[in-house]
Amino acid sequence: MSNFINVVLPIPLQKLFTYSVTEAEAEFLKPGMRVAVEFGKSKVYTALVYEIHQNPPIAYEAKDIHQILDDKPVVNELQLKHWEWLSNYYMCSLGEVFRAALPSAFLLESESIIQLVLGEKDETELTDDEFLIYEALQHQPELTVNKVVEILGKKTVFPVLKQLIEKEIIVIKEQIYEQYKPKLVKYVRLNASFDNETKLPELLEELSRAKKQRDAVLTYFQLKAQKKPIKATDLIEKANVSTAVIKSLVDKEIFEFYYIQTDRVDFNVKKSVIKKLTEYQNTAYSEIKSSFENKHVTLLKGITSSGKTEIYAKLIQEALEKGKQVLYLLPEIALTTQIIQRLQLYFGEYLSVYHSKYTVNERVEVWNNTLHNKKKARLILGARSSLFLPFSNLDLIIVDEEHEPSYKQYNPSPRYHARDASIVLAGFHKAKVLLGSATPSIETSYNAKQNKYGYVELNRRFNNVLLPEIELVNIKEKYRKKRMKGHFSDRLIKMIEETLEEKEQVILFQNRRGYSPVVECETCGVSPQCPNCDVSLTYHNYKKELQCHYCGHKQAMLHNCGACGSPTLNTKGFGTEQIEEELEHLFPEANIGRMDLDTTRGKYGYQKIIGKFQAQEIDILVGTQMLSKGLDFSNVTLVGVMNADNMLNFPDFRAYERSYQLMVQVAGRAGRVKKRGRVAIQTFNPYHQILQQVSTNNYEAMFKEQLDERWQYKYPPFYRLIKLTLRHKDFNRVETAANWLGKSMTNSFKQNVLGPTTPSISKIRNYYIRTIILKIPQENSLGKTKNHLKKILNSFQAITDFRSVKVGVDVDNY
Ligand code: ADP
Ligand code: ZN
Ligand code: ZN
């Protein structure tokens, strides 16, 4: 009797592939172990064993496997079940899920590129084969796995590489990911010219009239005796002075600030017990508990700063006490370091953080700790990809800011929604899910109203601080009456002045980066376009550059119009850069900071800005939607929205819902702990229903109105959507292909097919784009519809002319 295994290959292949194994191998192998196999023209992949059986494949001769890579499964059965669901629901292959799920270090293949890890290595620890690779990497910075095959003169190189990865001698290069930006801590030191005990009297003399500053310097010398770097926060605490005192010493060039990277998880942090819940929080907590008794999912709608995180903490504690695992999902890890810090204080020894920006080794470590249900991976804090970890004992999943669109993966496939996929995952584990938000998505609220999810409300801020007062500023009027300076109304200017006078801080929100999104010739009306995409180039004043925000194309700013040659190029519209520039003129005394993709890209850029703002070295922070995400600054009392209209005019059925969420969330950054904050929203259309709803904090009205619209125009939650995106470099080909596909879909699905349409950006990176949307009414079977659509797609791909057209399938598209 021959033995076979079916494996999942990390490629978009619809079927599992069968390989032949020996009887001993069949005995040894279990589903969830990795094997190295050859596929296609002598390419080697890491594949995952799915099942072991005795049935030879019919259509082809089964090849032998190269080797077995694990002695125990690295993927468990619940995961395989979840992946299967993901692949069915989101219409992709199991292989694509496999590829997305495993850290790339687990997925060696012929094309993988390996690199040396920097640092001291003990060469005597290496086997001969390992040494050969190590040696080769001394002479060239990187090697492909294929090259390693040549060097070792044998095909079975994966086990050797695996050893080297485990010994942390090599890593697999990842082009797609940037490295995780570690958390930075601010330290203080004396300027080099004073850093000498003999200079102390001189220094104290100089500061004789600034008592506080003197105290700070004296305390500094006391702390210095401990021969450890001195944290700015420690100095402030020990010397009992304010941040401003230290800051003036920095201004006098006596002190200087510097930053040191701390470990991603600092287990030495002072542990603290979770906070005692307030009466209102306690009620919400009890309601959640009783809701969990008969509902597997519960929505906690708690206004901004009501202390949702503290309630999560209590639930987490209970799960951990039972020895169970907890997954805490966050929309964007890099933007939520504050939450990580808070939870670290409570659960340091249980906590691991997981997301794609961590290095390969870090991710492998968390994976293995989860797989073995280790204590330090009982509470996983992660972005959407942490859903794929090998949990075996989940008790609770928290989806924080459940309304955030970044929970949906766009590219590559699987295009899953982490909130929805986590609900299914919890089902397999018989775990509970808590969805939290101040501005829940329409879909989630609807599910709660339908009694599908439990529902709990928390309508009071901690400390009973009132929600900020929101003022709509009619800038149409202001322009007419000439009361605008640049993009600032006299009202907003006044409010900023008042805030600065109180030594409080301001956040200004403008949802566009760069200086201006369009440059236009006043003579002929032509705008410079991206050569690769169908968009206007954005002007970046700082670099005097035109940039495409879709493909990254950059060119120097033109002096003359490319079309007519006139020197009459002018900017239209505005982004964060322009606001920053205007602020510098309007408030020359204030320190101004900017937080957008351009200023946070550099190493540690994001942490630095947040750190500076927190330390009150920045008075006014201008930024994009990054600002709306879970930040908690205690001294911000004014939030300004520069222009609400472009959000509202975005061509998408969710635009109103999103504008509402974005504005309420940004507004929620004002006046969080001490006193009531103020918000000014500048708009040409203050009577717009969404702005009225934002200013009266009327979520219910927004919900009801949007739900009616969704019903009327056949959108979720009443209809499900599947969006197909067709792309090709040849305009005619994509056009013909889209027409063919649109027609066959219409034959089957009639009026529920929209398109093909040309999206508002019809070409990106030289690929022409067409989209088709399929709307699926609730009463139709989703499974049957998808199967039918799959058949149509198969016939489509069978047409030779269309084979090169890329088709992306996005279920529940965002
Ligand atoms: P949310 O997540 O709902 O926006 P947070 O959990 O961030 O609110 O709470 C807002 C602020 O109030 C935080 O600084 C938090 O530490 C504080 N806070 C909330 N609840 C309590 C409590 N029960 N005891 C002490 N401080 C609390
Ligand atoms: Zn011109
Ligand atoms: Zn472009």
Side-chain angles (χ1 to χ4, degrees):
M1 187 94 100
S2 333
N3 291 284
F4 300 94
I5 54 171
N6 287 351
V7 301
V8 186
L9 285 156
I11 45 180
L13 197 70
Q14 279 313 321
K15 295 206 167 79
L16 298 177
F17 221 71
T18 308
Y19 287 83
S20 137
V21 290
T22 65
E23 188 156 352
E25 285 169 336
E27 278 287 294
F28 181 79
L29 284 169
K30 292 191 187 67
M33 286 186 185
R34 290 170 304 152
V35 290
V37 298
E38 201 169 289
F39 183 79
K41 294 196 188 84
S42 76
K43 259 189 159 181
V44 184
Y45 287 98
T46 298
L48 196 75
V49 178
Y50 191 79
E51 53 203 351
I52 301 139
H53 58 89
Q54 271 95 30
N55 313 314
I58 299 160
Y60 53 92
E61 181 91 26
K63 288 186 202 167
D64 293 338
I65 59 170
H66 271 195
Q67 70 253 165
I68 297 174
L69 298 173
D70 294 311
D71 40 27
K72 289 202 187 82
V74 291
V75 168
N76 66 37
E77 275 172 45
L78 285 174
Q79 277 177 292
L80 286 174
K81 239 167 108 177
H82 190 226
W83 295 3
E84 197 125 314
W85 177 83
L86 282 161
S87 105
N88 276 324
Y89 188 86
Y90 291 107
M91 299 182 74
C92 62
S93 75
L94 207 50
E96 287 169 297
V97 182
F98 173 46
R99 164 154 247 140
L102 264 72
S104 61
F106 280 160
L107 286 172
L108 272 173
E109 58 186 55
S110 324
E111 324 279 283
S112 300
I113 293 169
I114 59 163
Q115 293 173 318
L116 218 49
V117 174
L118 296 176
E120 290 282 304
K121 302 284 150 34
D122 184 0
E123 295 174 17
T124 58
E125 294 254 311
L126 302 180
T127 65
D128 291 351
D129 278 350
E130 288 170 5
F131 186 76
L132 280 174
I133 300 170
Y134 176 70
E135 178 72 34
L137 283 170
Q138 307 287 336
H139 303 295
Q140 57 204 102
E142 37 185 64
L143 290 172
T144 62
V145 170
N146 273 334
K147 191 82 190 159
V148 173
V149 168
E150 266 173 48
I151 294 171
L152 299 186
K154 62 179 181 188
K155 275 193 159 181
T156 56
V157 303
F158 280 19
V160 184
L161 293 173
K162 192 179 156 228
Q163 278 298 318
L164 284 170
I165 292 173
E166 275 161 21
K167 290 182 183 172
E168 299 199 4
I169 290 178
I170 62 166
V171 283
I172 298 179
K173 181 176 170 182
E174 291 172 289
Q175 273 133 334
I176 22 175
Y177 301 120
E178 350 161 10
Q179 294 283 286
Y180 172 67
K181 299 184 188 81
K183 185 179 126 205
L184 289 183
V185 170
K186 187 154 105 178
Y187 289 87
V188 186
R189 64 181 165 221
L190 270 184
N191 197 311
S193 58
F194 291 106
D195 202 5
N196 183 335
E197 308 276 317
T198 59
K199 290 277 170 74
L200 182 57
E202 191 182 315
L203 193 55
L204 292 178
E205 176 60 31
E206 193 183 320
L207 296 175
S208 59
R209 286 198 286 144
K211 182 175 174 303
K212 288 272 170 197
Q213 295 182 11
R214 242 177 90 116
D215 289 350
V217 170
L218 279 169
T219 313
Y220 175 86
F221 275 98
Q222 277 165 15
L223 289 173
K224 201 172 156 250
Q226 297 167 3
K227 299 214 184 312
K228 276 197 307 200
I230 298 167
K231 278 191 198 165
T233 48
D234 283 354
L235 181 58
I236 289 165
E237 196 191 307
K238 297 265 157 50
N240 195 18
V241 296
S242 69
T243 318
V245 171
I246 309 295
K247 174 112 197 316
S248 28
L249 284 163
V250 171
D251 290 342
K252 288 186 184 165
E253 296 191 344
I254 294 170
F255 279 160
E256 59 189 28
F257 288 134
Y258 66 108
Y259 296 84
I260 301 182
Q261 163 188 336
T262 56
D263 251 330
R264 72 208 137 99
V265 179
D266 180 0
F267 292 107
N268 293 324
V269 285
K270 208 168 31 183
K271 228 181 107 70
S272 64
V273 290
I274 64 171
K275 295 201 167 78
K276 191 169 169 335
L277 298 186
T278 63
E279 186 193 332
Y280 298 99
Q281 290 168 343
N282 225 347
T283 309
Y285 162 82
S286 311
E287 285 172 12
I288 293 168
K289 293 290 284 186
S290 58
S291 166
F292 277 165
E293 276 165 27
N294 47 42
K295 288 281 185 332
H296 134 227
V297 185
T298 293
L299 166 63
L300 168 61
K301 177 171 175 285
I303 57 173
T304 52
S305 209
S306 57
K308 294 185 287 297
T309 320
E310 306 299 334
I311 297 179
Y312 303 154
K314 182 140 188 210
L315 293 163
I316 293 169
Q317 188 177 44
E318 285 172 359
L320 294 176
E321 276 167 0
K322 288 190 275 182
K324 299 268 204 162
Q325 298 168 322
V326 179
L327 171 61
Y328 189 132
L329 285 173
L330 287 162
E332 266 159 279
I333 278 281
L335 298 183
T336 30
T337 37
Q338 284 183 333
I339 291 204
I340 300 181
Q341 285 164 19
R342 279 165 73 179
L343 294 179
Q344 246 174 49
L345 285 176
Y346 302 154
F347 308 115
E349 77 261 42
Y350 293 99
L351 178 73
S352 289
V353 179
Y354 187 84
H355 66 115
S356 59
K357 283 185 180 169
Y358 268 8
T359 65
V360 182
N361 286 330
E362 287 165 336
R363 271 182 283 155
V364 168
E365 201 182 305
V366 177
W367 185 283
N368 286 333
N369 287 339
T370 311
L371 184 67
H372 302 123
N373 195 10
K374 290 265 175 68
K375 185 175 167 189
K376 69 174 162 198
R378 293 271 169 78
L379 169 58
I380 303 288
L381 212 67
R384 57 174 187 256
S385 62
S386 49
L387 268 182
F388 294 119
L389 284 166
F391 297 106
S392 51
N393 198 12
L394 263 180
D395 190 51
L396 173 67
I397 301 180
I398 290 165
V399 185
D400 197 9
E401 310 292 359
E402 70 82 31
H403 64 276
E404 273 288 332
S406 50
Y407 276 126
K408 184 73 160 56
Q409 158 114 349
Y410 282 99
N411 260 330
S413 182
R415 299 181 178 86
Y416 63 102
H417 196 300
R419 173 195 60 215
D420 302 343
S422 79
I423 290 172
V424 174
L425 180 68
F428 290 143
H429 284 265
K430 307 227 175 330
K432 304 295 176 194
V433 182
L434 183 62
L435 308 176
S437 174
T439 52
S441 63
I442 301 285
E443 285 86 344
T444 297
S445 275
Y446 180 73
N447 281 328
K449 292 258 148 81
Q450 296 291 101
N451 221 8
K452 199 171 146 195
Y453 299 167
Y455 180 70
V456 176
E457 256 182 29
L458 182 55
N459 285 323
R460 241 175 235 254
R461 281 189 149 185
F462 176 68
N463 258 350
N464 288 325
V465 179
L466 288 175
L467 277 175
E469 193 177 350
I470 299 177
E471 195 174 316
L472 300 173
V473 180
N474 185 346
I475 47 175
K476 195 169 161 192
E477 280 286 305
K478 297 284 183 192
Y479 274 111
R480 200 173 53 80
K481 295 183 180 157
K482 309 232 177 314
R483 290 196 184 146
M484 294 292 288
K485 281 189 186 157
H487 296 93
F488 287 81
S489 59
D490 54 352
R491 179 67 189 138
L492 182 55
I493 292 174
K494 177 143 186 295
M495 288 167 95
I496 296 175
E497 278 166 0
E498 287 165 1
T499 310
L500 295 179
E501 226 151 79
E502 296 282 317
K503 302 272 176 265
E504 292 163 352
Q505 290 167 290
V506 181
I507 284 181
L508 294 178
F509 171 74
Q510 168 58 13
N511 214 5
R512 267 198 167 130
R513 66 190 168 94
Y515 191 84
S516 72
V518 182
V519 173
E520 198 181 82
C521 171
E522 291 199 336
T523 310
C524 72
V526 169
S527 299
Q529 299 287 309
C530 174
N532 313 317
C533 311
D534 164 38
V535 291
S536 301
L537 293 169
T538 298
Y539 176 52
H540 286 248
N541 189 40
Y542 179 67
K543 291 191 166 167
K544 300 274 178 276
E545 243 176 24
L546 292 169
Q547 295 182 5
C548 170
H549 288 178
Y550 289 84
C551 71
H553 168 86
K554 288 175 185 166
Q555 63 187 62
M557 176 63 181
L558 305 165
H559 294 294
N560 298 309
C561 168
C564 74
S566 315
T568 48
L569 290 174
N570 220 333
T571 58
K572 281 186 84 179
F574 64 103
T576 45
E577 252 192 12
Q578 196 169 148
I579 294 305
E580 187 187 19
E581 187 189 84
E582 291 180 4
L583 281 170
E584 275 158 10
H585 290 114
L586 288 169
F587 304 99
E589 305 286 294
N591 291 314
I592 292 149
R594 172 160 60 92
M595 186 161 92
D596 56 27
L597 256 187
D598 300 312
T599 58
T600 53
R601 223 193 294 262
K603 247 188 168 178
Y604 316 133
Y606 177 80
Q607 325 285 25
K608 264 191 194 158
I609 295 172
I610 292 286
K612 274 185 158 178
F613 195 52
Q614 213 153 12
Q616 300 182 26
E617 289 163 37
I618 294 174
D619 305 309
I620 309 175
L621 184 61
V622 187
T624 54
Q625 38 109 24
M626 284 183 178
L627 288 172
S628 69
K629 304 205 171 146
L631 296 170
D632 189 19
F633 300 109
S634 54
N635 194 41
V636 174
T637 53
L638 175 65
V639 166
V641 174
M642 297 307 298
N643 177 325
D645 306 307
N646 54 25
M647 278 183 261
L648 290 165
N649 295 334
F650 198 74
D652 181 291
F653 73 93
R654 285 194 178 90
Y656 284 7
E657 176 193 354
R658 282 223 194 123
S659 306
Y660 180 90
Q661 290 162 338
L662 212 47
M663 283 185 267
V664 170
Q665 293 287 348
V666 196
R669 304 310 112 200
R672 285 175 71 84
V673 254
K674 282 185 299 205
K675 70 176 206 193
R676 189 175 188 191
R678 295 193 293 173
V679 178
I681 299 177
Q682 299 195 134
T683 171
F684 282 94
N685 189 3
Y687 303 105
H688 194 290
Q689 82 258 35
I690 287 290
L691 295 176
Q692 290 295 327
Q693 289 151 3
V694 169
S695 68
T696 52
N697 194 34
N698 197 343
Y699 178 87
E700 280 307 313
M702 184 283 288
F703 173 73
K704 208 175 152 296
E705 217 167 83
Q706 292 311 306
L707 201 66
D708 283 349
E709 300 250 306
R710 302 280 183 91
W711 170 255
Q712 199 177 340
Y713 299 104
K714 301 186 175 176
Y715 279 110
F718 305 106
Y719 280 68
R720 291 185 177 266
L721 302 185
I722 299 180
K723 182 175 177 181
L724 305 176
T725 305
L726 290 82
R727 297 161 59 235
H728 201 281
K729 288 197 170 174
D730 178 352
F731 176 82
N732 290 322
R733 187 165 313 203
V734 76
E735 184 82 354
T736 324
N739 287 338
W740 188 99
L741 190 56
K743 208 172 271 164
S744 348
M745 283 172 64
T746 308
N747 280 340
S748 303
F749 304 114
K750 312 288 182 252
Q751 76 282 7
N752 289 325
V753 178
L754 288 189
T757 20
T758 307
S760 56
I761 296 166
S762 66
K763 186 179 78 166
I764 294 178
R765 293 175 198 272
N766 290 315
Y767 278 85
Y768 292 92
I769 307 167
R770 287 290 178 279
T771 55
I772 303 173
I773 287 179
L774 175 60
K775 294 184 166 180
I776 308 168
Q778 262 170 342
E779 62 273 17
N780 288 16
S781 149
L782 198 57
K784 277 195 196 138
T785 308
K786 284 177 186 166
N787 280 338
H788 198 106
L789 178 60
K790 250 184 227 164
K791 279 195 195 125
I792 297 176
L793 285 170
N794 283 342
S795 335
F796 172 85
Q797 263 137 7
I799 299 170
T800 327
D801 263 4
F802 299 160
R803 213 159 278 164
S804 57
V805 176
K806 295 189 195 317
V807 183
V809 181
D810 189 356
V811 178
D812 296 341
N813 81 286
Y814 255 71

